[in-house]
Amino acid sequence: MIESFPPPSLGPDAIEVEGLRGTRRMLAVGGGRGGAGKSLVAQNLAVYFAQLGKNVILVDLDPTGANLHAQFGVTAHANPPSDETTEELAKGLIPTFVPGLSILPGPHDAIEPPLQLRAGRKSRWLSRLKSLPADYLVVDVGPGHAHLAVDVMLAADIAICVTVPEPPAIEATYRFLRAAYRRKLRRSLVRDRFRLSLVDRVMKEIGRLPSPLDVVRLLAKTDRTLAELAWVEATRMHLHLVVNQTRVRTDLELAGAMSGLAKRHYGMTLDELGWVEHDDTVWLTVRRRRPLLVESPTSKSARNIERIARRVVALTAVKTEPKEPAPPLPPVLTAPDHYTVLGIGRSSNDEEVRRAFKRQREIYATGGLPTSSLLDDEELAIAQARIDEAHDSLLDPVRRRAYDLSMFPEPDADRPDAQSVPRPALAAEQLMLQSELAREIGPDTEFTGPLLRKVRESQGIEIAEISSRTKISKAHLLALEDETYDHLPAIVYVRGFVTELAKYLRLDPAQVQRTYLRRMREKHVS
């Protein structure tokens, strides 16, 4: 008998997304080594969607340790049910105490591997899996880059790679990207055996899982058309990245750095989705066999996952825009220009050049986390030399003008600064929050801590940025948003904090101060 509990309240940050009911989305979580937190992300994403009133199926596809059922306190089947039909597959679903959420557990005690893991049955099994009656399918594909894991990630509407700020985990993530590219490229040529043999010959010549640019450069020497096709397949790859167990500032910046490096050195999109802070609450919930969003929804790690889930919902809600054509091959086969090296536009001033130089030097630092296994020592030295040369050339007015005339003889539209363009997930989240706030904020709105957080996140502003500009400590800003009044100083100081925060968020300072302090006094009285 499964104990049933009402879903926990989502609070003021709950998202009401219109137009999604009746649609089916498949999310896959994998792309790294074991122990990085894939199960944590998968199970709590499933819980979040169920709390939104969706019908959700959580699929445990981890071949090395299928144990998601234990986190919900249910007993799984030793062997999987028959998957000959969708109806037979649906018989294996086990309801959980979270309304709307069912688990399709893996065969954790099977003597032989299940049939769907063997060659020739994966496509039919995936087709039946997608036919299950659910608004969301959340699949935990497990660690590694075996064919099943790669195929499920490539078939998903949103594929999420999870890593931690450690060199072995980052290396495993880059390895998964290369394995996924190899799989995708070979599948695109399955009907052209001659070209497939050329690709296999090139990969054998490289002698390891190749990066897309390595494949393109070698193919361009013999078959430029095939090289262009290989490059298009790389640019069409779109995965998302979550960094788990973050502790320091550089950990929080890791996802953005890896996203830029994957685009520059692999040609593929690895969209930054968010991070999950290191939190002892996580292992406590594992000990209690309860999902994090159910057992401790107000913990910092739970809020991190809620924001990731909100971005996923925003991504599934926006209309898919036509894909831009892949960039031409010549820029891929030649060294990047100084502006591309620093990730800035041609109109950038000296201060922007200095900031970009500092950022790139941190990313390409010797022994740095973002470049773990991505570049060898020689390639890293070349990248560092290019950054230094770009910095010196662009800060010298005479050299910069001569360089611009030699590289860009024809005037053209300036490229946007790569670092100022919002990530797709962040942009989708901001659009959704701005739409909600347009309906929520008016002359009589009472500004609460969660509402102030929502306004801040809708503008893509981080706590650290506000703290740096207003000189209000991050602890006090978080206390304002969390409404933990015991952590705030005297009310005369809080009045100043709220006023400065409202000004920074471009809100009416008088209205925010009046309503927030009134709420604060009422809470103190009660």
Side-chain angles (χ1 to χ4, degrees):
M1 184 71 178
I2 297 175
E3 188 178 5
S4 179
F5 295 89
S9 172
L10 292 177
D13 287 338
I15 300 173
E16 185 64 28
V17 181
E18 300 176 357
L20 283 182
R21 190 169 300 280
T23 62
R24 182 174 291 111
R25 300 287 182 177
M26 177 176 170
L27 281 69
V29 183
R33 70 166 185 167
K38 292 177 287 295
S39 296
L40 170 72
V41 173
Q43 68 192 16
N44 285 287
L45 285 179
V47 169
Y48 184 90
F49 299 143
Q51 290 174 345
L52 291 180
K54 304 299 179 182
N55 185 19
V56 185
I57 295 176
L58 177 60
V59 183
D60 193 348
L61 204 61
D62 187 346
T64 61
N67 51 21
L68 279 181
H69 59 278
Q71 195 64 20
F72 291 86
V74 300
T75 302
H77 309 292
N79 291 285
S82 171
D83 63 342
E84 292 300 324
T85 64
T86 302
E87 291 73 19
E88 291 292 330
L89 188 62
K91 291 180 180 179
L93 296 177
I94 301 177
T96 69
F97 57 78
V98 179
L101 174 59
S102 300
I103 293 181
L104 186 62
H108 65 294
D109 278 343
I111 297 176
E112 296 291 337
L115 293 177
Q116 67 263 25
L117 299 183
R118 295 174 181 167
R121 296 179 60 93
K122 288 192 293 290
S123 59
R124 282 177 290 173
W125 181 82
L126 276 173
S127 176
R128 296 187 183 106
L129 183 67
K130 287 187 173 183
S131 299
L132 291 173
D135 297 314
Y136 283 94
L137 282 172
V138 182
V139 185
D140 179 4
V141 303
H145 56 275
H147 285 174
L148 178 65
V150 172
D151 289 344
V152 172
M153 291 283 279
L154 292 177
D157 297 299
I158 295 181
I160 302 173
C161 299
V162 181
T163 190
V164 294
E166 300 171 1
I170 295 171
E171 179 180 351
T173 300
Y174 286 135
R175 186 186 303 118
F176 180 87
L177 296 181
R178 297 195 301 272
Y181 170 72
R182 176 181 179 273
R183 182 74 168 165
K184 183 176 176 62
L185 178 59
R186 295 190 81 257
R187 285 171 57 181
S188 69
L189 297 171
V190 69
R191 297 182 183 276
D192 191 336
R193 292 187 176 275
F194 175 71
R195 286 187 166 180
L196 181 58
S197 66
L198 291 179
V199 169
D200 287 340
R201 187 185 309 166
V202 164
M203 293 184 179
K204 187 175 182 180
E205 180 180 343
I206 295 173
R208 55 182 172 81
L209 275 177
S211 73
L213 291 186
D214 290 338
V215 174
V216 170
R217 289 190 182 103
L218 288 179
L219 287 176
K221 297 177 181 179
T222 56
D223 190 333
R224 192 173 183 84
T225 302
L226 181 56
E228 291 175 350
L229 186 149
W231 177 237
V232 168
E233 290 298 326
T235 59
R236 286 179 177 173
M237 290 190 62
H238 192 160
L239 296 95
H240 300 78
L241 179 65
V242 170
V243 178
N244 187 28
Q245 298 180 17
T246 60
R247 290 177 172 85
V248 295
R249 177 186 62 84
T250 52
D251 294 348
L252 302 181
E253 297 173 349
L254 178 60
M258 291 180 65
S259 176
L261 290 170
K263 191 70 174 178
R264 179 176 298 183
H265 296 281
Y266 287 174
M268 61 182 66
T269 300
L270 184 64
D271 184 20
E272 176 187 359
L273 202 56
W275 63 81
V276 182
E277 296 176 76
H278 181 268
D279 190 352
D280 288 339
T281 305
V282 174
W283 71 263
L284 282 174
T285 60
V286 174
R287 291 279 293 270
R288 295 167 182 166
R289 300 202 298 177
R290 306 268 290 182
L292 178 65
L293 292 187
V294 173
E295 181 67 18
S296 186
T298 60
S299 63
K300 59 182 180 181
S301 52
R303 288 179 176 172
N304 296 151
I305 292 179
E306 282 187 355
R307 189 170 190 188
I308 291 169
R310 189 168 63 223
R311 290 178 176 178
V312 171
V313 172
L315 285 172
T316 59
V318 297
K319 294 182 179 179
T320 304
E321 298 180 357
K323 295 183 178 180
E324 297 181 357
L329 275 185
V332 176
L333 303 178
T334 58
D337 62 71
H338 291 340
Y339 297 98
T340 301
V341 167
L342 296 181
I344 57 177
R346 285 168 53 191
S347 61
S348 300
N349 57 35
D350 289 354
E351 182 58 31
E352 291 170 332
V353 171
R354 292 189 184 94
R355 286 201 302 265
F357 169 74
K358 181 180 179 181
R359 170 67 174 159
Q360 294 301 320
R361 286 296 296 182
E362 289 178 352
I363 292 175
Y364 286 92
T366 302
L369 279 177
T371 56
S372 297
S373 80
L374 182 71
L375 305 173
D376 58 30
D377 293 341
E378 182 180 353
E379 292 170 332
L380 186 60
I382 293 174
Q384 292 171 345
R386 285 176 178 166
I387 294 170
D388 292 338
E389 182 183 0
H391 171 264
D392 296 341
S393 297
L394 297 184
L395 284 183
D396 186 324
V398 177
R399 291 174 61 184
R400 181 171 182 172
R401 177 168 176 76
Y403 179 80
D404 287 348
L405 290 175
S406 63
M407 291 294 295
F408 313 104
E410 297 293 333
D412 57 357
D414 187 26
R415 296 188 308 272
D417 182 348
Q419 296 186 26
S420 67
V421 178
R423 304 292 184 187
L426 178 59
E429 178 196 27
Q430 290 176 14
L431 286 174
M432 185 170 63
L433 291 178
Q434 289 166 9
S435 175
E436 294 175 2
L437 288 171
R439 299 191 299 267
E440 295 176 10
I441 295 181
D444 301 322
T445 299
E446 181 182 76
F447 282 89
T448 64
L451 181 57
L452 290 174
R453 179 190 296 117
K454 193 172 185 179
V455 173
R456 173 178 62 80
E457 292 177 349
S458 73
Q459 299 177 19
I461 300 173
E462 297 295 336
I463 286 287
E465 180 182 340
I466 301 177
S467 177
S468 174
R469 295 292 183 89
T470 63
K471 307 306 178 185
I472 304 172
S473 71
K474 290 189 287 186
H476 286 153
L477 290 170
L478 288 172
L480 287 174
E481 292 185 348
D482 296 339
E483 295 188 348
T484 51
Y485 304 126
D486 293 340
H487 297 167
L488 291 170
I491 196 167
V492 63
Y493 297 106
V494 176
R495 181 181 292 109
F497 292 168
V498 173
T499 300
E500 290 302 314
L501 178 60
K503 289 179 181 178
Y504 195 88
L505 297 178
R506 299 192 296 276
L507 299 171
D508 181 0
Q511 182 184 3
V512 175
Q513 179 195 123
R514 182 179 66 257
T515 57
Y516 188 93
L517 294 182
R518 181 176 62 203
R519 180 181 175 86
M520 181 177 176
R521 292 190 186 97
E522 291 173 353
K523 288 288 184 70
H524 274 304
V525 171
S526 62

